[in-house]
Amino acid sequence: QVQLVESGGGLVQAGGSLRLSCAVSGRTSSDYAMGWFRQAPGKEREFVAAISWSGGTTLHSRSVSGRFTISRDNSEKMLYLRMNSLKPEDTAVYYCAGRLGAPQTLPDVYDDWGQGTQVTVPS
């Protein structure tokens, strides 16, 4: 059983930055990919970024590419999402997720989910 706990969300002005963190506990393997997803009110959950176990493969959605960076520290069992140049359209609940195998962009293939952390960027 894997537990994921996000933190670091909050209210930030447009153009500002935040770093989200996701603490991983429980049993994971060296084939455990992780990702960030977000869900705005009235919208479906959407892919933000994903990373392989080694960190050698990263994926970022077009909407955040160049502004957000996913990273992980396996020794600390942590996943991060650095968010720069935030926009009002980035407002959402952000979730971290994990799965065995390669990083993927579809939320349905992830097995483990955190409870989410709210990010609000006022317009």
Side-chain angles (χ1 to χ4, degrees):
Q1 188 76 15
V2 176
Q3 295 81 41
L4 306 176
V5 179
E6 303 94 336
S7 61
L11 188 149
V12 61
Q13 297 302 312
S17 298
L18 277 177
R19 189 181 78 161
L20 303 184
S21 300
C22 175
V24 183
S25 61
R27 187 173 181 177
T28 60
S29 72
S30 61
D31 193 28
Y32 193 73
M34 299 195 71
W36 287 100
F37 293 81
R38 66 186 182 186
Q39 189 166 19
K43 295 187 177 181
E44 293 188 352
R45 192 166 297 189
E46 67 168 342
F47 169 75
V48 176
I51 188 169
S52 62
W53 168 262
S54 69
T57 299
T58 60
L59 308 172
H60 295 82
S61 70
R62 287 184 181 180
S63 62
V64 307
S65 182
R67 300 188 298 123
F68 293 10
T69 303
I70 190 171
S71 63
R72 67 190 297 168
D73 183 339
N74 292 332
S75 65
E76 296 293 331
K77 303 189 77 172
M78 294 293 294
L79 176 73
Y80 302 103
L81 183 69
R82 178 65 180 180
M83 306 187 294
N84 296 327
S85 303
L86 283 159
K87 304 175 181 180
E89 51 263 45
D90 295 319
T91 295
V93 177
Y94 283 71
Y95 299 89
C96 69
R99 69 180 303 271
L100 292 174
Q104 300 287 346
T105 62
L106 295 176
D108 290 350
V109 302
Y110 285 79
D111 301 305
D112 305 310
W113 291 87
Q115 82 290 345
T117 186
Q118 176 72 46
V119 172
T120 302
V121 187
S123 56

